[in-house]
Amino acid sequence: MRERDSSVPREVLILGYLHNIGVTSPNRSLTLEEISIRTALEAEIVRENIMKLIKGEYVNMIRVEGVERYYVTPNGILKAAGVYS
């Protein structure tokens, strides 16, 4: 993940990253650990920001075989695309 831009909240940067790598459907979902590894952020930071994104309805959580997995919602896709325009 790129160096933190102070003008963009961290959760929006994470959302944009997930969008850019195609985590936009349940079958492409990732665990918090996988997101942490891919973003090079501590797991707790990822968890806090993913929870903000869930509250904003930009990310959904599903359980697959008892494991929580996360993906960007259609609202999240629009939000992520808006950051770049």
Side-chain angles (χ1 to χ4, degrees):
M1 194 164 165
R2 67 186 167 105
E3 187 69 26
R4 180 151 158 66
D5 177 349
S6 62
S7 66
V8 179
R10 182 169 273 150
E11 70 268 13
V12 176
L13 292 175
I14 292 171
L15 178 66
Y17 180 80
L18 294 174
H19 174 261
N20 289 343
I21 65 169
V23 184
T24 55
S25 65
N27 63 325
R28 298 197 53 144
S29 61
L30 297 174
T31 65
L32 284 174
E33 181 178 338
E34 291 169 326
I35 297 168
S36 178
I37 291 167
R38 285 174 171 81
T39 59
L41 294 171
E42 294 179 21
E44 188 55 34
I45 291 171
V46 170
R47 178 181 298 284
E48 290 171 10
N49 287 282
I50 290 292
M51 293 306 121
K52 290 178 186 177
L53 292 167
I54 289 172
K55 287 180 184 174
E57 299 183 354
Y58 301 125
V59 167
N60 271 344
M61 186 273 291
I62 59 170
R63 286 190 192 276
V64 177
E65 297 179 8
V67 177
E68 293 180 355
R69 301 181 67 83
Y70 303 87
Y71 66 95
V72 179
T73 66
N75 285 339
I77 293 169
L78 291 173
K79 174 78 170 176
V83 170
Y84 301 108
S85 48

